[in-house]
Amino acid sequence: QTIISLLFTLIIFFVSFSINSFLDKIVLNAQKINSLIVGIFYNFKLYNNLITRFNILDFIKLLLINIIPVLIFIVITNKYYFNIINACVFTSKKKNKKVKIEKSSKIKALVIKDLKKYLASPTLIVNSLFGIILLLVITIFISFNKSLLINYLSNFYNNDVVQVINNIPLIYLCLVIFTSCNTYITSSSISLEGSYFSMLKTLPISNSLILLSKIIMSNLIVVTSILVGDLIFFISYKVNIMDTIFITLISIILPVFMSIINLFVNLKFPKINANNETEVVKQSTSSFISSVIGMFLSIILIGLVFILDSFILKFMLCIILLILSFIIWKVLVKYSGKRFKEIE
């Protein structure tokens, strides 16, 4: 803005200082300019002649030059106007016959609605994407600075480079777990519906479909972003197949698990009549409880991945998270039948 203001100021100064010389040049070359205009536009020549010395012949010529094009336009319009209009209407009807209304499935329509509501909430975007962006930035940074990371971690492993390299996937996994547990999109998704939630309940849509759309929308953002980070990390550090499978499973299952828990919390403690979105995202009971649960679970899971040595035990942890997700989902759907009626 400052640069643009300076440029405009300089332009004004330049025009102010140059306008006198510019006008002088116009006055000196007035005869040439007049000859040029008269040579190009014949009607100007006739007009100029009539001003200096009236001539009936020039007057008739000027009238004919201005009137004849108007008369021609009127005749053509009168002859072809209705044909053109009819052709346009006919074409419009033909085009209208070819128009097909695409029908979206209920779940697709709900997911798109939730995604639009999410994108329309800057506070929620900043609050939810901070951890994900931080994960991607750290992943890209350590991918381009491998030696720096290895040298730094060597201080904690008695300069054993082999042990450091073997433990880098585990450290990255801890970062994924912490990000997944502390990203809470669904903890505000019901509250953000506001007064629209009452209308949403009247639609011919099951409660489970409404809840499922919010979980899908959340994981389209969270899971997709984390998997992008995983891919960068896997390619950069050439992670072995076992660690790749486990990290990928956690990157998919854990965000789904957390989104179901956070949605359950928001259904239990909604804030439908909030004055603004900041109250919903940062000052609501559901957001506070979700942050406490996320921090608590991230500490437990990070401790478990350090304790569990074998791939089978780690795989069992994924199975347990998957089973818990299914159980909590079933309880959530059952509870929503009663809770939806209570929320006004």
mmCIF file with all atom_site columns, all heavy atoms in Angstrom, residues 116-134:
data_model
loop_
_atom_site.group_PDB
_atom_site.id
_atom_site.type_symbol
_atom_site.label_atom_id
_atom_site.label_alt_id
_atom_site.label_comp_id
_atom_site.label_asym_id
_atom_site.label_entity_id
_atom_site.label_seq_id
_atom_site.pdbx_PDB_ins_code
_atom_site.Cartn_x
_atom_site.Cartn_y
_atom_site.Cartn_z
_atom_site.occupancy
_atom_site.B_iso_or_equiv
_atom_site.pdbx_formal_charge
_atom_site.auth_seq_id
_atom_site.auth_comp_id
_atom_site.auth_asym_id
_atom_site.auth_atom_id
_atom_site.pdbx_PDB_model_num
ATOM 1   N N   . LYS A 1 116 ? -17.723 -26.653 3.553  1.00 0.00 ? 116 LYS A N   1
ATOM 2   C CA  . LYS A 1 116 ? -17.934 -25.222 3.311  1.00 0.00 ? 116 LYS A CA  1
ATOM 3   C C   . LYS A 1 116 ? -18.020 -24.461 4.628  1.00 0.00 ? 116 LYS A C   1
ATOM 4   O O   . LYS A 1 116 ? -17.491 -23.354 4.750  1.00 0.00 ? 116 LYS A O   1
ATOM 5   C CB  . LYS A 1 116 ? -19.215 -25.012 2.492  1.00 0.00 ? 116 LYS A CB  1
ATOM 6   C CG  . LYS A 1 116 ? -19.083 -25.393 1.028  1.00 0.00 ? 116 LYS A CG  1
ATOM 7   C CD  . LYS A 1 116 ? -20.388 -25.156 0.287  1.00 0.00 ? 116 LYS A CD  1
ATOM 8   C CE  . LYS A 1 116 ? -20.244 -25.519 -1.195 1.00 0.00 ? 116 LYS A CE  1
ATOM 9   N NZ  . LYS A 1 116 ? -21.537 -25.338 -1.923 1.00 0.00 ? 116 LYS A NZ  1
ATOM 10  N N   . LYS A 1 117 ? -18.703 -25.053 5.599  1.00 0.00 ? 117 LYS A N   1
ATOM 11  C CA  . LYS A 1 117 ? -18.810 -24.414 6.922  1.00 0.00 ? 117 LYS A CA  1
ATOM 12  C C   . LYS A 1 117 ? -17.442 -24.322 7.584  1.00 0.00 ? 117 LYS A C   1
ATOM 13  O O   . LYS A 1 117 ? -17.117 -23.330 8.241  1.00 0.00 ? 117 LYS A O   1
ATOM 14  C CB  . LYS A 1 117 ? -19.790 -25.198 7.804  1.00 0.00 ? 117 LYS A CB  1
ATOM 15  C CG  . LYS A 1 117 ? -20.170 -24.482 9.100  1.00 0.00 ? 117 LYS A CG  1
ATOM 16  C CD  . LYS A 1 117 ? -21.293 -25.215 9.806  1.00 0.00 ? 117 LYS A CD  1
ATOM 17  C CE  . LYS A 1 117 ? -22.605 -25.022 9.098  1.00 0.00 ? 117 LYS A CE  1
ATOM 18  N NZ  . LYS A 1 117 ? -23.100 -23.627 9.200  1.00 0.00 ? 117 LYS A NZ  1
ATOM 19  N N   . TYR A 1 118 ? -16.633 -25.358 7.407  1.00 0.00 ? 118 TYR A N   1
ATOM 20  C CA  . TYR A 1 118 ? -15.275 -25.352 7.971  1.00 0.00 ? 118 TYR A CA  1
ATOM 21  C C   . TYR A 1 118 ? -14.429 -24.260 7.319  1.00 0.00 ? 118 TYR A C   1
ATOM 22  O O   . TYR A 1 118 ? -13.739 -23.497 8.006  1.00 0.00 ? 118 TYR A O   1
ATOM 23  C CB  . TYR A 1 118 ? -14.630 -26.721 7.747  1.00 0.00 ? 118 TYR A CB  1
ATOM 24  C CG  . TYR A 1 118 ? -13.163 -26.779 8.124  1.00 0.00 ? 118 TYR A CG  1
ATOM 25  C CD1 . TYR A 1 118 ? -12.763 -26.912 9.444  1.00 0.00 ? 118 TYR A CD1 1
ATOM 26  C CD2 . TYR A 1 118 ? -12.181 -26.696 7.142  1.00 0.00 ? 118 TYR A CD2 1
ATOM 27  C CE1 . TYR A 1 118 ? -11.420 -26.956 9.791  1.00 0.00 ? 118 TYR A CE1 1
ATOM 28  C CE2 . TYR A 1 118 ? -10.837 -26.746 7.473  1.00 0.00 ? 118 TYR A CE2 1
ATOM 29  C CZ  . TYR A 1 118 ? -10.467 -26.881 8.797  1.00 0.00 ? 118 TYR A CZ  1
ATOM 30  O OH  . TYR A 1 118 ? -9.131  -26.918 9.130  1.00 0.00 ? 118 TYR A OH  1
ATOM 31  N N   . LEU A 1 119 ? -14.486 -24.167 5.992  1.00 0.00 ? 119 LEU A N   1
ATOM 32  C CA  . LEU A 1 119 ? -13.702 -23.162 5.265  1.00 0.00 ? 119 LEU A CA  1
ATOM 33  C C   . LEU A 1 119 ? -14.182 -21.740 5.538  1.00 0.00 ? 119 LEU A C   1
ATOM 34  O O   . LEU A 1 119 ? -13.421 -20.785 5.347  1.00 0.00 ? 119 LEU A O   1
ATOM 35  C CB  . LEU A 1 119 ? -13.753 -23.454 3.759  1.00 0.00 ? 119 LEU A CB  1
ATOM 36  C CG  . LEU A 1 119 ? -13.090 -24.762 3.312  1.00 0.00 ? 119 LEU A CG  1
ATOM 37  C CD1 . LEU A 1 119 ? -13.340 -25.011 1.835  1.00 0.00 ? 119 LEU A CD1 1
ATOM 38  C CD2 . LEU A 1 119 ? -11.590 -24.743 3.594  1.00 0.00 ? 119 LEU A CD2 1
ATOM 39  N N   . ALA A 1 120 ? -15.430 -21.611 5.986  1.00 0.00 ? 120 ALA A N   1
ATOM 40  C CA  . ALA A 1 120 ? -15.971 -20.289 6.303  1.00 0.00 ? 120 ALA A CA  1
ATOM 41  C C   . ALA A 1 120 ? -15.645 -19.852 7.728  1.00 0.00 ? 120 ALA A C   1
ATOM 42  O O   . ALA A 1 120 ? -16.070 -18.782 8.159  1.00 0.00 ? 120 ALA A O   1
ATOM 43  C CB  . ALA A 1 120 ? -17.483 -20.286 6.094  1.00 0.00 ? 120 ALA A CB  1
ATOM 44  N N   . SER A 1 121 ? -14.901 -20.693 8.454  1.00 0.00 ? 121 SER A N   1
ATOM 45  C CA  . SER A 1 121 ? -14.556 -20.385 9.854  1.00 0.00 ? 121 SER A CA  1
ATOM 46  C C   . SER A 1 121 ? -13.044 -20.236 9.996  1.00 0.00 ? 121 SER A C   1
ATOM 47  O O   . SER A 1 121 ? -12.341 -21.221 10.256 1.00 0.00 ? 121 SER A O   1
ATOM 48  C CB  . SER A 1 121 ? -15.071 -21.505 10.772 1.00 0.00 ? 121 SER A CB  1
ATOM 49  O OG  . SER A 1 121 ? -14.642 -21.295 12.088 1.00 0.00 ? 121 SER A OG  1
ATOM 50  N N   . PRO A 1 122 ? -12.511 -19.021 9.838  1.00 0.00 ? 122 PRO A N   1
ATOM 51  C CA  . PRO A 1 122 ? -11.056 -18.802 9.939  1.00 0.00 ? 122 PRO A CA  1
ATOM 52  C C   . PRO A 1 122 ? -10.476 -19.246 11.280 1.00 0.00 ? 122 PRO A C   1
ATOM 53  O O   . PRO A 1 122 ? -9.363  -19.778 11.339 1.00 0.00 ? 122 PRO A O   1
ATOM 54  C CB  . PRO A 1 122 ? -10.909 -17.289 9.751  1.00 0.00 ? 122 PRO A CB  1
ATOM 55  C CG  . PRO A 1 122 ? -12.159 -16.855 9.062  1.00 0.00 ? 122 PRO A CG  1
ATOM 56  C CD  . PRO A 1 122 ? -13.229 -17.768 9.541  1.00 0.00 ? 122 PRO A CD  1
ATOM 57  N N   . THR A 1 123 ? -11.235 -19.029 12.358 1.00 0.00 ? 123 THR A N   1
ATOM 58  C CA  . THR A 1 123 ? -10.754 -19.408 13.696 1.00 0.00 ? 123 THR A CA  1
ATOM 59  C C   . THR A 1 123 ? -10.548 -20.907 13.790 1.00 0.00 ? 123 THR A C   1
ATOM 60  O O   . THR A 1 123 ? -9.526  -21.375 14.320 1.00 0.00 ? 123 THR A O   1
ATOM 61  C CB  . THR A 1 123 ? -11.767 -18.956 14.778 1.00 0.00 ? 123 THR A CB  1
ATOM 62  O OG1 . THR A 1 123 ? -12.045 -17.568 14.625 1.00 0.00 ? 123 THR A OG1 1
ATOM 63  C CG2 . THR A 1 123 ? -11.215 -19.203 16.164 1.00 0.00 ? 123 THR A CG2 1
ATOM 64  N N   . LEU A 1 124 ? -11.506 -21.677 13.288 1.00 0.00 ? 124 LEU A N   1
ATOM 65  C CA  . LEU A 1 124 ? -11.397 -23.140 13.314 1.00 0.00 ? 124 LEU A CA  1
ATOM 66  C C   . LEU A 1 124 ? -10.257 -23.616 12.423 1.00 0.00 ? 124 LEU A C   1
ATOM 67  O O   . LEU A 1 124 ? -9.528  -24.551 12.770 1.00 0.00 ? 124 LEU A O   1
ATOM 68  C CB  . LEU A 1 124 ? -12.720 -23.779 12.880 1.00 0.00 ? 124 LEU A CB  1
ATOM 69  C CG  . LEU A 1 124 ? -12.782 -25.312 12.890 1.00 0.00 ? 124 LEU A CG  1
ATOM 70  C CD1 . LEU A 1 124 ? -12.454 -25.865 14.274 1.00 0.00 ? 124 LEU A CD1 1
ATOM 71  C CD2 . LEU A 1 124 ? -14.150 -25.802 12.438 1.00 0.00 ? 124 LEU A CD2 1
ATOM 72  N N   . ILE A 1 125 ? -10.089 -22.988 11.266 1.00 0.00 ? 125 ILE A N   1
ATOM 73  C CA  . ILE A 1 125 ? -9.007  -23.372 10.346 1.00 0.00 ? 125 ILE A CA  1
ATOM 74  C C   . ILE A 1 125 ? -7.648  -23.184 11.013 1.00 0.00 ? 125 ILE A C   1
ATOM 75  O O   . ILE A 1 125 ? -6.809  -24.086 11.008 1.00 0.00 ? 125 ILE A O   1
ATOM 76  C CB  . ILE A 1 125 ? -9.090  -22.552 9.039  1.00 0.00 ? 125 ILE A CB  1
ATOM 77  C CG1 . ILE A 1 125 ? -10.314 -22.962 8.231  1.00 0.00 ? 125 ILE A CG1 1
ATOM 78  C CG2 . ILE A 1 125 ? -7.830  -22.748 8.198  1.00 0.00 ? 125 ILE A CG2 1
ATOM 79  C CD1 . ILE A 1 125 ? -10.585 -22.095 7.027  1.00 0.00 ? 125 ILE A CD1 1
ATOM 80  N N   . VAL A 1 126 ? -7.442  -22.005 11.610 1.00 0.00 ? 126 VAL A N   1
ATOM 81  C CA  . VAL A 1 126 ? -6.159  -21.718 12.270 1.00 0.00 ? 126 VAL A CA  1
ATOM 82  C C   . VAL A 1 126 ? -5.941  -22.663 13.434 1.00 0.00 ? 126 VAL A C   1
ATOM 83  O O   . VAL A 1 126 ? -4.851  -23.215 13.620 1.00 0.00 ? 126 VAL A O   1
ATOM 84  C CB  . VAL A 1 126 ? -6.128  -20.248 12.749 1.00 0.00 ? 126 VAL A CB  1
ATOM 85  C CG1 . VAL A 1 126 ? -4.889  -19.987 13.599 1.00 0.00 ? 126 VAL A CG1 1
ATOM 86  C CG2 . VAL A 1 126 ? -6.159  -19.294 11.564 1.00 0.00 ? 126 VAL A CG2 1
ATOM 87  N N   . ASN A 1 127 ? -6.995  -22.868 14.228 1.00 0.00 ? 127 ASN A N   1
ATOM 88  C CA  . ASN A 1 127 ? -6.888  -23.708 15.423 1.00 0.00 ? 127 ASN A CA  1
ATOM 89  C C   . ASN A 1 127 ? -6.604  -25.165 15.080 1.00 0.00 ? 127 ASN A C   1
ATOM 90  O O   . ASN A 1 127 ? -5.844  -25.846 15.781 1.00 0.00 ? 127 ASN A O   1
ATOM 91  C CB  . ASN A 1 127 ? -8.189  -23.608 16.217 1.00 0.00 ? 127 ASN A CB  1
ATOM 92  C CG  . ASN A 1 127 ? -8.014  -24.043 17.662 1.00 0.00 ? 127 ASN A CG  1
ATOM 93  O OD1 . ASN A 1 127 ? -7.253  -23.440 18.403 1.00 0.00 ? 127 ASN A OD1 1
ATOM 94  N ND2 . ASN A 1 127 ? -8.724  -25.081 18.052 1.00 0.00 ? 127 ASN A ND2 1
ATOM 95  N N   . SER A 1 128 ? -7.217  -25.655 14.001 1.00 0.00 ? 128 SER A N   1
ATOM 96  C CA  . SER A 1 128 ? -7.085  -27.084 13.658 1.00 0.00 ? 128 SER A CA  1
ATOM 97  C C   . SER A 1 128 ? -5.881  -27.384 12.770 1.00 0.00 ? 128 SER A C   1
ATOM 98  O O   . SER A 1 128 ? -5.314  -28.476 12.840 1.00 0.00 ? 128 SER A O   1
ATOM 99  C CB  . SER A 1 128 ? -8.368  -27.571 12.974 1.00 0.00 ? 128 SER A CB  1
ATOM 100 O OG  . SER A 1 128 ? -8.600  -26.836 11.782 1.00 0.00 ? 128 SER A OG  1
ATOM 101 N N   . LEU A 1 129 ? -5.499  -26.433 11.926 1.00 0.00 ? 129 LEU A N   1
ATOM 102 C CA  . LEU A 1 129 ? -4.420  -26.697 10.973 1.00 0.00 ? 129 LEU A CA  1
ATOM 103 C C   . LEU A 1 129 ? -3.033  -26.348 11.498 1.00 0.00 ? 129 LEU A C   1
ATOM 104 O O   . LEU A 1 129 ? -2.036  -26.675 10.854 1.00 0.00 ? 129 LEU A O   1
ATOM 105 C CB  . LEU A 1 129 ? -4.663  -25.925 9.674  1.00 0.00 ? 129 LEU A CB  1
ATOM 106 C CG  . LEU A 1 129 ? -5.836  -26.384 8.800  1.00 0.00 ? 129 LEU A CG  1
ATOM 107 C CD1 . LEU A 1 129 ? -5.854  -25.612 7.499  1.00 0.00 ? 129 LEU A CD1 1
ATOM 108 C CD2 . LEU A 1 129 ? -5.769  -27.882 8.520  1.00 0.00 ? 129 LEU A CD2 1
ATOM 109 N N   . PHE A 1 130 ? -2.964  -25.714 12.658 1.00 0.00 ? 130 PHE A N   1
ATOM 110 C CA  . PHE A 1 130 ? -1.653  -25.318 13.189 1.00 0.00 ? 130 PHE A CA  1
ATOM 111 C C   . PHE A 1 130 ? -0.748  -26.530 13.379 1.00 0.00 ? 130 PHE A C   1
ATOM 112 O O   . PHE A 1 130 ? 0.400   -26.548 12.938 1.00 0.00 ? 130 PHE A O   1
ATOM 113 C CB  . PHE A 1 130 ? -1.823  -24.563 14.514 1.00 0.00 ? 130 PHE A CB  1
ATOM 114 C CG  . PHE A 1 130 ? -0.516  -24.165 15.136 1.00 0.00 ? 130 PHE A CG  1
ATOM 115 C CD1 . PHE A 1 130 ? 0.186   -23.070 14.653 1.00 0.00 ? 130 PHE A CD1 1
ATOM 116 C CD2 . PHE A 1 130 ? 0.020   -24.899 16.188 1.00 0.00 ? 130 PHE A CD2 1
ATOM 117 C CE1 . PHE A 1 130 ? 1.399   -22.697 15.217 1.00 0.00 ? 130 PHE A CE1 1
ATOM 118 C CE2 . PHE A 1 130 ? 1.231   -24.541 16.753 1.00 0.00 ? 130 PHE A CE2 1
ATOM 119 C CZ  . PHE A 1 130 ? 1.922   -23.442 16.274 1.00 0.00 ? 130 PHE A CZ  1
ATOM 120 N N   . GLY A 1 131 ? -1.269  -27.569 14.050 1.00 0.00 ? 131 GLY A N   1
ATOM 121 C CA  . GLY A 1 131 ? -0.477  -28.771 14.304 1.00 0.00 ? 131 GLY A CA  1
ATOM 122 C C   . GLY A 1 131 ? -0.112  -29.509 13.029 1.00 0.00 ? 131 GLY A C   1
ATOM 123 O O   . GLY A 1 131 ? 1.013   -30.011 12.879 1.00 0.00 ? 131 GLY A O   1
ATOM 124 N N   . ILE A 1 132 ? -1.063  -29.569 12.089 1.00 0.00 ? 132 ILE A N   1
ATOM 125 C CA  . ILE A 1 132 ? -0.817  -30.264 10.825 1.00 0.00 ? 132 ILE A CA  1
ATOM 126 C C   . ILE A 1 132 ? 0.254   -29.546 10.003 1.00 0.00 ? 132 ILE A C   1
ATOM 127 O O   . ILE A 1 132 ? 1.165   -30.182 9.449  1.00 0.00 ? 132 ILE A O   1
ATOM 128 C CB  . ILE A 1 132 ? -2.129  -30.380 10.012 1.00 0.00 ? 132 ILE A CB  1
ATOM 129 C CG1 . ILE A 1 132 ? -3.109  -31.313 10.736 1.00 0.00 ? 132 ILE A CG1 1
ATOM 130 C CG2 . ILE A 1 132 ? -1.863  -30.897 8.611  1.00 0.00 ? 132 ILE A CG2 1
ATOM 131 C CD1 . ILE A 1 132 ? -4.492  -31.330 10.147 1.00 0.00 ? 132 ILE A CD1 1
ATOM 132 N N   . ILE A 1 133 ? 0.149   -28.221 9.918  1.00 0.00 ? 133 ILE A N   1
ATOM 133 C CA  . ILE A 1 133 ? 1.149   -27.443 9.180  1.00 0.00 ? 133 ILE A CA  1
ATOM 134 C C   . ILE A 1 133 ? 2.519   -27.578 9.832  1.00 0.00 ? 133 ILE A C   1
ATOM 135 O O   . ILE A 1 133 ? 3.540   -27.716 9.147  1.00 0.00 ? 133 ILE A O   1
ATOM 136 C CB  . ILE A 1 133 ? 0.716   -25.959 9.107  1.00 0.00 ? 133 ILE A CB  1
ATOM 137 C CG1 . ILE A 1 133 ? -0.519  -25.821 8.213  1.00 0.00 ? 133 ILE A CG1 1
ATOM 138 C CG2 . ILE A 1 133 ? 1.850   -25.087 8.561  1.00 0.00 ? 133 ILE A CG2 1
ATOM 139 C CD1 . ILE A 1 133 ? -1.159  -24.458 8.246  1.00 0.00 ? 133 ILE A CD1 1
ATOM 140 N N   . LEU A 1 134 ? 2.534   -27.571 11.174 1.00 0.00 ? 134 LEU A N   1
ATOM 141 C CA  . LEU A 1 134 ? 3.796   -27.740 11.901 1.00 0.00 ? 134 LEU A CA  1
ATOM 142 C C   . LEU A 1 134 ? 4.421   -29.106 11.598 1.00 0.00 ? 134 LEU A C   1
ATOM 143 O O   . LEU A 1 134 ? 5.641   -29.212 11.393 1.00 0.00 ? 134 LEU A O   1
ATOM 144 C CB  . LEU A 1 134 ? 3.548   -27.594 13.401 1.00 0.00 ? 134 LEU A CB  1
ATOM 145 C CG  . LEU A 1 134 ? 4.790   -27.542 14.299 1.00 0.00 ? 134 LEU A CG  1
ATOM 146 C CD1 . LEU A 1 134 ? 5.637   -26.320 13.972 1.00 0.00 ? 134 LEU A CD1 1
ATOM 147 C CD2 . LEU A 1 134 ? 4.382   -27.532 15.768 1.00 0.00 ? 134 LEU A CD2 1
#
